[in-house]
Amino acid sequence: FVATLQGDTVVVYNLATSRRVRTLAIDPWITALDLHDDRWLAVGFPDGSVHLWDLRTGGHAWGVRVSAAPVTAVALMAGSEPAAWADADGALGWAGPAGVGVTVAGHSGRVASLRFAPGSGWLVSAGEDGAARVWDADRLVLRHEVREATEYATDAAVDPAGRLLVVPWRNAWRL
């Protein structure tokens, strides 16, 4: 599935069939989104909130204010309704229907990306402080760090086996 923002509407498409699966009217100023399988769409907003929609029903499952800063990244783990989030001040944490869970000071500036490493229990973050960090997803304990002191880490990706981390920096990338 892929989600696109069209005006004040998020449209979800099935890539295998090229068909529109769901159309959701959502605030047009979205700062982050992630979708998982055919079930959940997580959305971050500049007001510091994270919301989750059920793609099967089109219903709003929950929303919670997680930060005073804009949410800049969200990530959903397989089979999980809570969402990981990160903000413009470098914090990251968990949010769910019961509210905000564990929160840590993850980076010294804006977090550009959050990704789950498949089957590993790791959450990967990339930030403008030049670091890509690997966290224990349950407790948000730092496990590994890769850094380019003079570059902005724009994203992070993990291979399906959860063994390789690819980090593109503003002017280079590392494997």
Side-chain angles (χ1 to χ4, degrees):
F1 289 87
V2 66
T4 63
L5 183 60
Q6 300 175 2
D8 64 350
T9 305
V10 173
V11 181
V12 180
Y13 296 92
N14 181 326
L15 289 177
T17 64
S18 299
R19 292 197 174 160
R20 184 182 290 210
V21 174
R22 178 78 55 200
T23 302
L24 302 167
I26 298 177
D27 184 320
W29 191 252
I30 292 173
T31 52
L33 68 86
D34 188 28
L35 65 114
H36 195 273
D37 297 330
D38 62 348
R39 182 67 193 265
W40 302 114
L41 174 71
V43 179
F45 291 98
D47 69 356
S49 67
V50 174
H51 294 260
L52 194 76
W53 275 265
D54 184 329
L55 293 175
R56 292 180 185 165
T57 67
H60 182 260
W62 55 263
V64 62
R65 179 105 188 246
V66 297
S67 175
V71 172
T72 57
V74 291
L76 293 167
M77 187 167 24
S80 178
E81 187 177 319
W85 60 270
D87 71 16
D89 291 338
L92 55 106
W94 280 104
V100 180
V102 177
T103 302
V104 297
H107 289 264
S108 61
R110 180 181 174 275
V111 177
S113 174
L114 285 177
R115 301 277 189 263
F116 282 102
S120 69
W122 292 349
L123 176 66
V124 178
S125 62
E128 69 179 14
D129 60 1
R133 295 192 171 109
V134 179
W135 306 85
D136 175 291
D138 291 333
R139 298 175 293 136
L140 292 181
V141 173
L142 184 62
R143 295 293 181 206
H144 306 283
E145 179 180 294
V146 180
R147 177 179 290 279
E148 284 290 330
T150 61
E151 296 293 333
Y152 178 103
T154 59
D155 202 351
V158 181
D159 78 298
R163 293 183 316 239
L164 295 176
L165 170 66
V166 178
V167 181
W169 276 275
R170 184 179 51 214
N171 294 315
W173 65 275
R174 275 180 49 189
L175 179 63

